[in-house]
Amino acid sequence: MIGNSKRPGKCEVSLTVNGEPKTVRVYPMERLLDVLRLELGLTGTKEGCGEGECGSCSVVMDGKLVNSCLIPALQVAGATLTTIEGLALGPRLTALQAAFLKCGGAQCGICTPGMILASRQLLDKKPKPTLEEIREGLSGNLCRCTGYMQIFEAVMEAASGNSQ
Amino acid sequence: MRSDPVDFALRAPGTLELVLSMLASEPGTWLPISGGTDVMVQYAAGKLSSRQLVSIWNLAELRGIEVLPDEIRIGAGCTYTELREHEVISREFPLLARAARWTGGVANQNRGTLGGNIANASPGADSLPALLAYEAELVLVSVRGERRISYVGFHTGYKKMRMELDELIRVVSLPRRFSGYFQYSRKVGARNAQAISKVCLAALGRIRDGFMEDVRISLGSVAPVPIRLTDIEQILKGRRIEPALVDLAKMKVATAIRPIDDIRSNARYRAAVAANLVAEFLTQLVNSGTLA
Amino acid sequence: MKEEQVVGQSVPRKEGHGKVTGAARYIDDISIPGMLYGATVRSQVPRGVIKKISFDEHFDWAEFVFVTAKDIPGKNCIALIGDDQPCLADGVVNHPEEPILLLAHPNRHKLRKAVEAVWIEYEPLPAVLTMEESEQYSQIIWGSDNTFKTFLIAKGDVESVWGKADYIVEGEYTTGAQEQLYIENNGVIAVFDSEQGITIWGSLQCPYYVHKAMMALLNLPAEKVRVVQAETGGAFGGKEDYPSIIAGHAALLAMKSRRPVKIIYDRMEDMTATTKRHPSRTRHRTAVSKEGKILGGEIEFTIDGGAYATLSSVVLSRGVIHAGGSYYWPCVRIRGKAVATNYPPHGAFRGFGAPQSLFAMERHMDRIAQAVGLSPVEIRRRNFLKPGETTTTEQVIREEIDLGKFLERALVLSDYRAKKLRFTHENGGGPVKKGIGIAAFLHGAGFTGSGERYLASVVGVEGCADGTVRVLASSTEFGQGTNTVLCQIAAEALNLPYKYVQIAQPDTNQVPNSGPTVASRTAMVVGSLVRSAAIGIRQTLAAEGLHDSYTPEEFKVACRRHVAEHGELRSYARYDPPAGVFWDDQKYRGEAYACFAWAIYIAEVEVDLSTYAATVEDFVALQEVGRVLHPILAKGQIAGGVAQGIGFALYEKVVWQNGRMQNGQMTNYIMPTSADLPPIRVFFEEMGNIHGAYGAKGIGELPMDGPAPAIANAIEDALGVRFDSIPLLPEDIFEAVSNSELSETR
């Protein structure tokens, strides 16, 4: 990581987002959430609370689910990021996205990008999760619309297609 | 978002040595930030008084979990996810593994660190009662070298600790001597996940020939710092754990703790629940048949 | 009867693709070149006179735009029902967070600092912070007597029953404020042009409410106000009337600056400054026979409206009409009152008064059961409304509903009897106590009484140049399925595949006023209009030779031809009140709603007396909804509503201090996570509804009414301790339990 001059100013941060290398010029304490939305125009990641509680801002960073509202830009230097936009290649949906649509896992949609990424992470760790494991894996993503039931169904549906 | 990034400096020197010399050259000026799950919340709320921060995220010297015959040495930069997924920690230090699972959700567990939990020193921090019960030791590091101190008594008051302004926590060491102990912990929060604790108990006990040979009872969220109920431990040592003794221990809890009324809960409730958890621990200990 | 092809199927959510790919654009995803951000300087006191507004001289005020009440071109009010709520405070404030001054600047962060750099001095006035203080007139803070509205429902001769009663059962029940907590905060963008007028894009439920409010505030004619709904991330009533305020603010800044202005709240501002569910207090006094029959009674229902009238009269209306529940009252007197206090005005939240009064009714039924010595099941069975009987407003129940049989089905589905027995046995030793509780209730969909007639909703269906079809309505999608259901209905009516039908974005320049998206009216009332308008298209094409059993391709050809020849193909349908439906607004008597949906909810709870926490372990939601138009959407509505009801009962407490919400963050205003909810088992019955599209009744709000009383009933069953107030937190259970004998027997 690069050191900066003593007076606060912008810095260059290079990272990989959805497979593409990007360099942004931002204040080191800019939130990753704002870097994604405002610098890179990737508005799929949402702000619901700004305090790391709702999970709407979840992205995958270096293979791990994180709340982008709590990460300063400087700490993202050299990282590999996946946002909701990077989940599907082209117009075809992933099985998980299709399952969310089929099962009613998305109502108003604002929690959905974070919820899908959290589900993706869960399924990567546990391809055939139990209901308890799904509840725990998604407990950092709040949904006000669904009561979670159809989200669980969507994850189970996607898991049932898993080969393991 | 109630802070302006323009007003804040964040540096990431990249090695422990460089960070330590920054801290030494301007003690008290640079606030270390690791995963940011505490600091960034304060920042977003416009409540972060430090304007200069130094990143200690992902420093190699603070990572890693070393398993030695007598101790396990946890890098202070280890995340909750790493703690809960570590085989030896899960097996021999379940109270710490459980605390890691209780903290926030998966996303916050992937970023929050053990060192951060200790240094942020929230009275309700989830892992601290477990560290007290295990009588962890901390390795602190600065430009002057390393020193090892007991975690017991590390916190001297609300957000005050036995650490110099230019020191960092490098390692949390746990002695590997609790396999024969009954281990109990319980966190009481407003909901099952993503909850700041109202009361948190971590306890260990060992019974030999029907008598309490060793007991450690540790509570969070009932005082400005996490505490051990040493007076109650003394009453219990060497005694048979019978209902009358359990009741006595329960009664003594109220005087051993200093809970407050706050936005989340109130003192009376916390005191009652703390007493109930102590009783539950002792009852389960007796029923567990964990005999030496 | 023809088998439906589209209605009744779980077709794909119309706008779902964008939601699962991140392509859906909510307000904060939209930027306009040259855009400024706007922010609001708000009152720090609950009531007072503004003495002085000063600006920190060390702050760089260059590039800032300022708006005060003086800048308002039209009337300084948020036009809704009354006009007592100012858009910007002018000299006095009546609640914490009341908007006083607006600022705009290109940089959001500087804007935030600017808000802190405005200093306002107040001469504080004594504030009224409880309903009781308001009723006792310790201060007069609104009108002549602090009373926004009263209602009286009087059926039969109540005085005659007290003497005949074997039991007189009394109870007082209270509910607290509840925050809607949509995950997307309020936000709008306003653009002003002296030619075009004002355009508002917003996260909102009712474009035409905002339209009306902007006309009055900005002194603009209808054609110079345009309101467009953006993708909206949850609403639940919290974006019914509030958007008129934030839109007005953005519009004023846009007019002053001649730049586009975006205002987005952060979570704390949204929680502390915007509307919440009305807190309530219900007092029951009921005359009951020894057979457990309700002979009559009095119900006093009071809600806290906050500082301004806003929607309180309508919330009160619904609460009062539902106060008697699904029971037969031979006579009853129901007095409703909405009072003013110095809290931020309370507003619409799913259920809209009914969750409050039904909480009381269903708690009270269990109390009556105890007094008489009957079970909660039996007391309800003996008092349920039957076909031919009248409600409290003397509406005849015309449906062949058998609530006793309905209750029985719910009991079987939830294994109620076996569990009740088991819990009685198992609750002896150990700190974990289990209980099971019932709530039986109803919910009237659509606007009350003559409300729908007053709305006079209009819907259009358009045949497009390419042969596909478009629904034109101002009804908004915010997760509940408006887009999907209205397109299903149009497709069904036109006998076309679902994918042939689209729905226009709600834009007041493009769509007629189909009424607000509230009151569970969209599928039922607006859906009916969609069907009519669609049939109108068929009729037009039929007149040009399109035969009855056309194929989709034939339809397309006919449609294209018509549009090519005539320029457009449109059909409109206007709401036509059903014949024989009579409502007396003065006496509050008659057919309050076109139809009721009926429900029985059963909650199984566990209370752990080491932590005093109650959790719901199983939940059965059985409802009769006329017709299930889309099984997955319908189930989703019920599950989501039950989750909010569980929050209302056990988790969601607004902590107030001096009129201001103290816990305005997601970390300390607690809504359930995925780890907190039980399996929510949803079951439907369908009896049809002659007043609703394809037999549908409204269901959006119904699930909000039942969970809280079912849970409170279950907790009493578990502990033998009575709880008549929600939210019921572990701290509250602890207080009650430690004050009772229970603590001694443990």
Side-chain angles (χ1 to χ4, degrees):
Chain A
M1 292 199 184
I2 328 154
N4 296 310
S5 70
K6 194 139 192 179
R7 216 172 47 247
K10 289 194 178 181
C11 58
E12 283 207 345
V13 175
S14 294
L15 61 157
T16 306
V17 184
N18 300 331
E20 287 179 24
K22 300 275 179 197
T23 300
V24 291
R25 192 164 171 71
V26 289
Y27 293 104
M29 281 293 277
E30 203 78 63
R31 300 178 307 172
L32 172 58
L33 174 63
D34 295 318
V35 172
L36 292 170
R37 289 177 55 80
L38 300 173
E39 297 292 322
L40 297 175
L42 294 167
T43 57
T45 308
K46 308 297 180 193
E47 175 163 0
C49 73
E51 45 175 304
E53 287 286 322
C54 75
S56 294
C57 70
S58 308
V59 296
V60 176
M61 179 164 142
D62 293 332
K64 297 184 179 48
L65 190 76
V66 295
N67 286 326
S68 63
C69 73
L70 294 184
I71 302 186
L74 189 64
Q75 286 187 345
V76 185
T80 301
L81 253 48
T82 306
T83 69
I84 184 70
E85 291 93 340
L87 210 61
L89 297 169
R92 282 196 66 200
L93 297 177
T94 62
L96 182 59
Q97 288 164 307
F100 263 74
L101 277 184
K102 179 178 169 200
C103 300
Q107 286 190 23
C108 83
I110 198 82
C111 79
T112 305
M115 192 69 76
I116 287 180
L117 287 172
S119 303
R120 176 73 272 143
Q121 277 278 287
L122 171 68
L123 291 174
D124 285 348
K125 277 193 167 175
K126 296 190 198 292
K128 299 277 190 203
T130 63
L131 180 59
E132 274 321 297
E133 287 169 335
I134 297 174
R135 285 178 181 279
E136 201 195 328
L138 300 185
S139 64
N141 292 76
L142 299 180
C143 174
R144 193 55 161 166
C145 294
T146 64
Y148 306 103
M149 301 293 121
Q150 289 169 331
I151 292 175
F152 299 155
E153 284 170 31
V155 176
M156 301 271 221
E157 165 92 6
S160 68
N162 283 342
S163 48
Q164 255 173 275
Chain B
M1 204 336 228
R2 301 193 175 198
S3 287
D4 188 349
V6 155
D7 297 332
F8 292 80
L10 171 62
R11 292 207 206 155
T15 70
L16 180 62
E17 196 188 322
L18 287 172
V19 171
L20 292 176
S21 51
M22 266 181 77
L23 295 179
S25 64
E26 295 173 280
T29 303
W30 295 91
L31 178 70
I33 172 177
S34 189
T37 54
D38 284 316
V39 170
M40 292 297 282
V41 176
Q42 295 171 51
Y43 170 70
K47 299 237 160 79
L48 187 63
S49 46
S50 303
R51 294 295 152 118
Q52 290 168 273
L53 298 103
V54 58
S55 175
I56 57 172
W57 172 251
N58 216 18
L59 288 180
E61 304 91 328
L62 301 182
R63 306 295 309 284
I65 299 176
E66 204 186 341
V67 179
L68 300 171
D70 293 329
E71 64 174 318
I72 182 163
R73 294 167 61 95
I74 303 170
C78 283
T79 64
Y80 297 118
T81 301
E82 283 159 355
L83 293 178
R84 65 179 281 198
E85 288 179 351
H86 193 271
E87 204 225 322
V88 177
I89 293 179
S90 303
R91 197 177 55 241
E92 295 181 27
F93 302 97
L95 306 187
L96 183 59
R98 224 178 277 159
R101 283 181 56 202
W102 287 337
T103 305
V106 168
N108 287 346
Q109 289 168 18
N110 283 336
R111 289 281 296 182
T113 62
L114 186 58
N117 209 219
I118 298 169
N120 188 58
S122 163
D126 293 322
S127 60
L128 308 192
L131 297 179
L132 257 192
Y134 291 133
E135 286 174 9
E137 291 193 341
L138 306 180
V139 174
L140 305 177
V141 67
S142 69
V143 291
R144 296 180 295 289
E146 292 193 348
R147 63 188 183 101
R148 189 163 166 131
I149 61 166
S150 174
Y151 179 66
V152 179
F154 178 71
H155 300 285
T156 56
Y158 177 69
K159 303 241 174 190
K160 289 188 173 46
M161 53 209 101
R162 293 209 171 109
M163 196 161 86
E164 300 300 324
L165 286 175
D166 65 344
E167 282 182 313
L168 286 179
I169 304 168
R170 192 170 80 74
V171 166
V172 179
S173 163
L174 301 177
R176 295 180 73 184
R177 36 176 298 244
F178 299 109
S179 315
Y181 280 69
F182 173 74
Q183 306 206 27
Y184 167 100
S185 66
R186 193 160 176 193
K187 169 179 171 177
V188 178
R191 56 190 174 190
N192 287 341
Q194 299 246 97
I196 309 235
S197 95
K198 298 181 187 181
V199 178
C200 182
L201 188 105
L204 305 166
R206 190 161 74 174
I207 293 182
R208 183 188 287 279
D209 299 329
F211 295 88
M212 182 78 97
E213 186 185 53
D214 188 16
V215 64
R216 297 123 179 269
I217 304 175
S218 187
L219 277 170
S221 299
V222 295
V225 302
I227 57 173
R228 283 269 297 271
L229 303 185
T230 43
D231 287 351
I232 294 175
E233 292 169 6
Q234 285 314 310
I235 295 173
L236 297 170
K237 276 206 188 127
R239 307 268 303 269
R240 282 192 180 283
I241 309 304
E242 280 158 353
L245 189 60
V246 174
D247 283 344
L248 178 64
K250 269 189 76 172
M251 261 175 46
K252 293 252 167 207
V253 171
T255 44
I257 61 178
R258 282 166 289 147
I260 56 171
D261 294 344
D262 65 13
I263 196 141
R264 248 163 258 116
S265 188
N266 64 61
R268 274 176 43 84
Y269 172 82
R270 288 179 154 124
V273 172
N276 291 342
L277 296 191
V278 168
E280 186 176 79
F281 158 63
L282 292 172
T283 309
Q284 286 187 10
L285 165 61
V286 168
N287 294 340
S288 74
T290 311
L291 308 171
Chain C
M1 185 141 128
K2 185 188 118 192
E3 185 67 51
E4 272 107 17
Q5 302 292 308
V6 186
V7 161
Q9 306 298 316
S10 290
V11 294
R13 177 177 278 276
K14 204 43 112 172
E15 75 294 337
H17 196 274
K19 287 176 172 175
V20 300
T21 56
R25 307 256 286 160
Y26 302 79
I27 271 294
D28 203 21
D29 302 332
I30 299 169
S31 274
I32 297 182
M35 189 173 82
L36 302 177
Y37 289 93
T40 314
V41 178
R42 299 177 176 279
S43 169
Q44 299 302 305
V45 303
R47 184 172 175 235
V49 176
I50 298 172
K51 302 298 300 181
K52 187 162 159 213
I53 300 179
S54 46
F55 299 84
D56 183 353
E57 60 196 28
H58 303 294
F59 190 86
D60 178 11
W61 292 103
E63 288 194 309
F64 276 89
V65 180
F66 303 86
V67 161
T68 66
K70 312 267 178 286
D71 294 299
I72 294 174
K75 199 167 174 210
N76 181 10
C77 78
I78 303 295
L80 185 60
I81 298 172
D83 56 3
D84 61 316
Q85 183 176 30
C87 174
L88 290 171
D90 189 4
V92 294
V93 291
N94 287 298
H95 65 82
E97 308 301 312
E98 181 159 4
I100 298 171
L101 177 80
L102 304 171
L103 302 170
H105 191 274
N107 182 311
R108 265 183 325 174
H109 299 301
K110 287 203 173 124
L111 191 60
R112 185 75 241 157
K113 289 177 185 159
V115 170
E116 311 293 320
V118 178
W119 301 325
I120 305 188
E121 279 169 48
Y122 310 89
E123 179 195 301
L125 293 170
V128 172
L129 295 176
T130 65
M131 285 186 264
E132 289 71 31
E133 273 171 45
S134 182
E135 290 171 310
Q136 285 152 26
Y137 311 125
S138 56
Q139 295 286 317
I140 300 296
I141 59 168
W142 194 90
S144 60
D145 61 357
N146 294 342
T147 305
F148 294 125
K149 187 75 178 180
T150 59
F151 287 112
L152 173 64
I153 290 177
K155 177 188 187 190
D157 178 14
V158 174
E159 291 313 314
S160 67
V161 297
W162 303 120
K164 298 187 218 151
D166 294 301
Y167 302 95
I168 295 179
V169 186
E170 296 187 328
E172 178 171 308
Y173 309 93
T174 61
T175 66
Q178 188 188 12
E179 161 57 38
Q180 296 88 347
L181 211 65
Y182 28 76
I183 306 287
E184 184 214 9
N185 291 317
N186 272 284
V188 293
I189 297 175
V191 174
F192 179 72
D193 172 288
S194 38
E195 288 284 302
Q196 309 277 344
I198 192 86
T199 304
I200 305 279
W201 286 272
S203 181
L204 47 89
Q205 294 174 233
C206 312
Y208 276 98
Y209 276 11
V210 179
H211 187 272
K212 169 183 155 178
M214 294 305 98
M215 282 173 61
L217 181 74
L218 308 174
N219 196 25
L220 290 172
E223 59 277 11
K224 287 209 169 178
V225 177
R226 179 181 174 209
V227 181
V228 185
Q229 183 228 4
E231 197 74 76
T232 296
F236 315 112
K239 296 173 182 172
E240 172 174 343
D241 61 319
Y242 194 83
S244 297
I245 300 176
I246 186 175
H249 293 168
L252 289 168
L253 286 168
M255 285 175 90
K256 188 91 181 271
S257 64
R258 298 307 166 112
R259 302 266 292 270
V261 173
K262 176 193 277 192
I263 301 183
I264 302 277
Y265 291 168
D266 68 9
R267 182 55 60 183
M268 183 166 288
E269 181 171 20
D270 197 295
M271 287 231 231
T272 54
T274 72
T275 63
K276 303 208 180 1
R277 186 183 297 287
H278 288 67
S280 77
R281 182 195 69 213
T282 312
R283 292 173 176 151
H284 274 267
R285 186 163 184 259
T286 320
V288 186
S289 75
K290 59 185 180 321
E291 291 83 25
K293 296 277 280 182
I294 293 173
L295 302 173
E298 286 178 323
I299 307 176
E300 181 201 290
F301 178 67
T302 306
I303 58 175
D304 177 349
Y308 299 109
T310 68
L311 292 171
S312 292
S313 56
V314 199
V315 174
L316 183 67
S317 160
R318 183 170 282 277
V320 150
I321 292 171
H322 285 77
S326 42
Y327 305 108
Y328 175 61
W329 292 77
C331 54
V332 70
R333 187 159 55 225
I334 306 176
R335 283 186 231 269
K337 186 170 55 173
V339 300
T341 59
N342 293 111
Y343 286 98
H346 296 298
F349 188 171
R350 198 172 192 175
F352 204 79
Q356 293 97 315
S357 66
L358 285 167
F359 171 75
M361 185 69 248
E362 282 305 284
R363 279 298 291 136
H364 196 60
M365 281 311 271
D366 269 26
R367 194 187 221 103
I368 293 175
Q370 281 164 19
V372 176
L374 290 173
S375 71
V377 172
E378 195 54 33
I379 197 72
R380 287 172 171 83
R381 219 210 315 269
R382 293 189 185 185
N383 287 287
F384 275 145
L385 279 164
K386 297 196 194 47
E389 288 181 333
T390 58
T391 66
T392 53
T393 66
E394 299 182 51
Q395 174 166 3
V396 178
I397 300 299
R398 298 187 205 281
E399 292 179 290
E400 287 304 310
I401 186 84
D402 182 343
L403 291 173
K405 199 160 138 210
F406 199 44
L407 173 59
E408 190 55 38
R409 183 172 174 217
L411 299 177
V412 169
L413 287 169
S414 60
D415 205 16
Y416 176 91
R417 290 186 179 90
K419 283 183 173 170
K420 196 126 174 29
L421 206 61
R422 199 168 81 227
F423 297 164
T424 313
H425 289 134
E426 287 176 359
N427 279 349
V432 175
K433 312 290 181 195
K434 300 177 79 110
I436 190 161
I438 300 169
F441 57 101
L442 77 183
H443 199 94
F447 265 44
T448 304
S450 38
E452 288 295 339
R453 173 178 303 153
Y454 170 75
L455 282 178
S457 299
V458 175
V459 161
V461 170
E462 176 173 37
C464 304
D466 64 354
T468 62
V469 170
R470 212 159 71 116
V471 176
L472 306 170
S474 64
S475 304
T476 52
E477 173 69 56
F478 38 87
Q480 82 286 45
T482 297
N483 290 347
T484 305
V485 167
L486 295 186
C487 288
Q488 271 181 291
I489 290 171
E492 189 67 54
L494 288 166
N495 204 21
L496 292 174
Y498 171 68
K499 64 178 198 272
Y500 270 42
V501 184
Q502 304 306 324
I503 182 162
Q505 185 177 21
D507 172 346
T508 56
N509 270 12
Q510 305 274 328
V511 302
N513 188 352
S514 57
T517 316
V518 304
S520 310
R521 60 188 294 276
T522 302
M524 191 177 99
V525 177
V526 180
S528 289
L529 296 178
V530 169
R531 183 165 177 273
S532 300
I535 289 171
I537 298 282
R538 279 184 88 141
Q539 287 168 345
T540 302
L541 295 179
E544 290 170 359
L546 182 63
H547 65 104
D548 248 3
S549 41
Y550 53 75
T551 64
E553 197 45 52
E554 286 169 336
F555 175 91
K556 266 192 166 174
V557 165
C559 177
R560 278 192 220 123
R561 186 174 58 224
H562 181 105
V563 174
E565 235 177 270
H566 300 273
E568 69 171 29
L569 170 58
R570 282 198 184 177
S571 162
Y572 290 95
R574 177 183 292 271
Y575 178 77
D576 196 16
V581 171
F582 173 75
W583 174 255
D584 183 335
D585 232 7
Q586 298 310 309
K587 300 208 181 84
Y588 244 57
R589 189 181 294 168
E591 324 260 334
Y593 301 99
C595 66
F596 292 98
W598 308 90
I600 312 274
Y601 283 6
I602 314 255
E604 179 191 322
V605 305
E606 218 172 74
V607 185
D608 183 341
L609 288 175
S610 20
T611 61
Y612 310 97
T615 51
V616 183
E617 297 300 307
D618 186 54
F619 199 97
V620 164
L622 170 66
Q623 46 264 304
E624 188 289 315
V625 299
R627 177 71 193 279
V628 176
L629 299 178
H630 187 300
I632 284 186
L633 283 183
K635 262 185 116 174
Q637 282 303 285
I638 302 302
V642 168
Q644 288 179 347
I646 293 175
F648 185 40
L650 295 177
Y651 297 96
E652 297 180 42
K653 181 176 185 136
V654 179
V655 177
W656 299 105
Q657 191 182 89
N658 207 25
R660 191 180 183 279
M661 181 184 189
Q662 297 301 302
N663 55 333
Q665 292 171 283
M666 287 220 187
T667 185
N668 48 28
Y669 179 84
I670 306 295
M671 69 161 265
T673 70
S674 61
D676 295 298
L677 293 175
I680 300 172
R681 305 193 280 130
V682 179
F683 304 93
F684 291 110
E685 286 191 10
E686 299 172 282
M687 278 176 41
N689 170 25
I690 52 172
H691 300 299
Y694 295 96
K697 297 179 180 178
I699 63 166
E701 293 171 281
L702 174 77
M704 196 80 223
D705 299 334
I711 289 166
N713 287 344
I715 293 175
E716 181 170 359
D717 183 52
L719 300 181
V721 176
R722 184 173 282 159
F723 294 99
D724 294 331
S725 195
I726 52 171
L728 188 56
L729 267 43
E731 286 78 0
D732 304 311
I733 295 179
F734 164 66
E735 284 302 320
V737 161
S738 57
N739 289 341
S740 83
E741 286 160 7
L742 207 71
S743 53
E744 289 165 38
T745 56
R746 270 186 63 241

